[in-house]
Amino acid sequence: MKMRLADSIQRQDLVIWKDGLAFCALIQRHRRDLIIYSKLNKFLEWIRRTTPWLENRTTETTMVAMRKKQEDYRDYCCMHKPPKVQEKCQLEISFNTL
């Protein structure tokens, strides 16, 4: 899934870095080899799958259901979150080495 971000960026937009669009355009234009699109698609799918679960703020009515919810959250913090934090750190390292 390659995007043509560089074509949609105007010169005056390059001073705005808040949304990361200018950074993405620079990467796409000059260092396409840094992006592994298959991993990016897997990461986006993980975000789509995980976000609704994290945003679910319904209160459980039984202690068993509440413990299950707490156990699921602990599982997320121990098993799912650390690899994603590591991926984020790798992205930050790549950004800083540019």
Side-chain angles (χ1 to χ4, degrees), residues 49-95:
R49 224 179 29 249
T50 307
T51 301
W53 177 76
L54 290 173
E55 290 176 344
N56 181 8
R57 306 281 189 219
T58 58
T59 306
E60 301 299 334
T61 56
T62 65
M63 285 301 290
V64 173
M66 186 56 129
R67 285 188 184 124
K68 172 74 171 114
K69 197 173 205 177
Q70 187 176 21
E71 183 180 316
D72 290 344
Y73 183 72
R74 274 194 215 122
D75 181 51
Y76 162 77
C77 288
C78 294
M79 296 179 66
H80 297 280
K81 192 175 176 182
K84 300 307 171 191
V85 171
Q86 185 177 4
E87 286 179 31
K88 180 184 172 192
C89 290
Q90 289 299 324
L91 287 172
E92 288 176 357
I93 290 168
S94 297
F95 173 74

Side-chain angles (χ1 to χ4, degrees), residues 8-78:
S8 65
I9 301 288
Q10 300 295 322
R11 185 177 170 89
Q12 64 268 17
D13 293 335
L14 292 177
V15 296
I16 301 172
W17 290 87
K18 288 182 183 178
D19 63 357
L21 191 60
F23 174 70
C24 290
L26 288 172
I27 293 296
Q28 188 215 6
R29 175 81 170 134
H30 298 287
R31 292 297 307 268
R32 289 184 183 196
D33 59 306
L34 293 177
I35 299 174
I36 303 169
Y37 288 98
S38 62
K39 282 190 176 184
L40 178 64
N41 290 336
K42 289 176 186 175
F43 184 61
L44 292 175
E45 182 58 36
W46 178 83
I47 290 173
R48 285 188 196 108
R49 224 179 29 249
T50 307
T51 301
W53 177 76
L54 290 173
E55 290 176 344
N56 181 8
R57 306 281 189 219
T58 58
T59 306
E60 301 299 334
T61 56
T62 65
M63 285 301 290
V64 173
M66 186 56 129
R67 285 188 184 124
K68 172 74 171 114
K69 197 173 205 177
Q70 187 176 21
E71 183 180 316
D72 290 344
Y73 183 72
R74 274 194 215 122
D75 181 51
Y76 162 77
C77 288
C78 294

